[in-house]
Amino acid sequence: MANIHNVTEFIFLGLSPNKDVQRVCFVIFLLLYTAIVLGNLLMVVTVAVSRSLGSPMYFFLSYLSFVEICYSSTTAPKLILDLLAEKKSISVWGCMTQLFFIHFFGGIEMFLLTVMAYDRYVAICKPLHYTSIMNRQMCIVLVGTAWVGGFVHSFAQILLIFRLPFCGPNVIDHYFCDVLPVLKLACSDTFLNGLLIVANGGSLSVISFVVLLASYVVILFHLRTQSSEGRRKALSTCGSHVTVVVLFFAPCVFIYLRPSATLSVDKMVAVFYTVITPLLNPIIYSLRNAEVKKAMKNLWIRTIKVDKK
């Protein structure tokens, strides 16, 4: 622990050393981050004020949108500012804080997506018991469990990094602090730490992904007995969720389920799951859901009427 203070800050190499590319990226990522915040905030507000979106599915969706804002905000603002900065630095404590919250909100999202799959399983496979199983208290418990699960996952990750000595060098070939790039800078044997990080992050991604896929296999099997209209509606809802699951889990499995080594493509993959996925989620859920589109339209009409008064 004493040696960790030999390095007081880390330097990011960022996305590109080219100044012109950085300026272009600044405009692009500023627009993308603004769209992420506004899009997900619109989803949260729409669910909160619309009586038609009072089911557990939309309750979980509003929390997912809130977590997406928090998740993207752990990396995007710093990335945007660094694109115009001469020196892209972060203190050791700032790095550890960023690392903790990335895995905290990322872990919450994994658990929330699993909870949402369970909600669809109960709604489709046990429709007569849906309201009694997925009552308000159960929904709150499941969301609370997701937050606790995210904290435990993140605490385990930060514990494996925080106690390592950092004596130099201090240059991170990335645009934010993540476990594998930071692990490379430790001036001690990190083989065991790397295995434990893969076991924690990689296994969580794979187990959650397998559970999600298994739940949808069961749902698809059950849909064979339903009417064509029931199948169409269920597949539309589940299709949106499966798309979001693949967009989020595929990059996470690629990054965290492999030996503790970094690749040149990691930064582009990280951009995908920290920026692109949070941007696409509200679009996917709104475009493929008639109830959400109708609720957003009603919210827009009500807002215009209030402005005219």
Side-chain angles (χ1 to χ4, degrees), residues 36-185:
I36 289 169
V37 174
L38 294 179
N40 284 284
L41 189 60
L42 175 61
M43 184 67 73
V44 173
V45 173
T46 301
V47 173
V49 303
S50 302
R51 293 181 180 179
S52 61
L53 303 181
S55 68
M57 179 178 73
Y58 299 113
F59 175 78
F60 297 133
L61 180 56
S62 66
Y63 270 96
L64 179 66
S65 295
F66 173 73
V67 170
E68 292 283 27
I69 295 173
C70 298
Y71 182 58
S72 183
S73 296
T74 59
T75 58
K78 174 65 175 169
L79 166 63
I80 293 167
L81 292 174
D82 282 348
L83 286 168
L84 297 182
E86 287 295 326
K87 183 181 180 182
K88 303 169 178 56
S89 63
I90 187 171
S91 68
V92 171
W93 291 103
C95 180
M96 297 301 159
T97 301
Q98 187 183 54
L99 195 154
F100 174 83
F101 281 108
I102 287 169
H103 286 271
F104 177 52
F105 291 117
I108 293 172
E109 182 165 354
M110 285 188 185
F111 288 113
L112 272 179
L113 289 172
T114 307
V115 166
M116 292 172 73
Y118 173 72
D119 172 71
R120 290 301 83 204
Y121 163 77
V122 176
I124 295 171
C125 301
K126 299 182 179 181
L128 298 179
H129 304 285
Y130 180 66
T131 54
S132 60
I133 295 175
M134 300 302 294
N135 54 55
R136 191 71 174 180
Q137 183 178 0
M138 175 58 74
C139 292
I140 293 172
V141 169
L142 289 173
V143 169
T145 302
W147 282 77
V148 172
F151 176 82
V152 172
H153 161 67
S154 183
F155 185 76
Q157 294 288 72
I158 198 71
L159 199 63
L160 293 169
I161 294 292
F162 184 73
R163 296 182 64 84
L164 292 173
F166 295 97
C167 338
N170 67 335
V171 177
I172 299 176
D173 187 13
H174 215 302
Y175 65 90
F176 68 90
C177 287
D178 203 1
V179 285
L180 297 182
V182 174
L183 192 68
K184 289 178 62 178
L185 300 182

Side-chain angles (χ1 to χ4, degrees), residues 187-202:
C187 50
S188 65
D189 184 14
T190 60
F191 178 75
L192 180 59
N193 297 71
L195 287 180
L196 292 174
I197 286 169
V198 171
N200 181 22

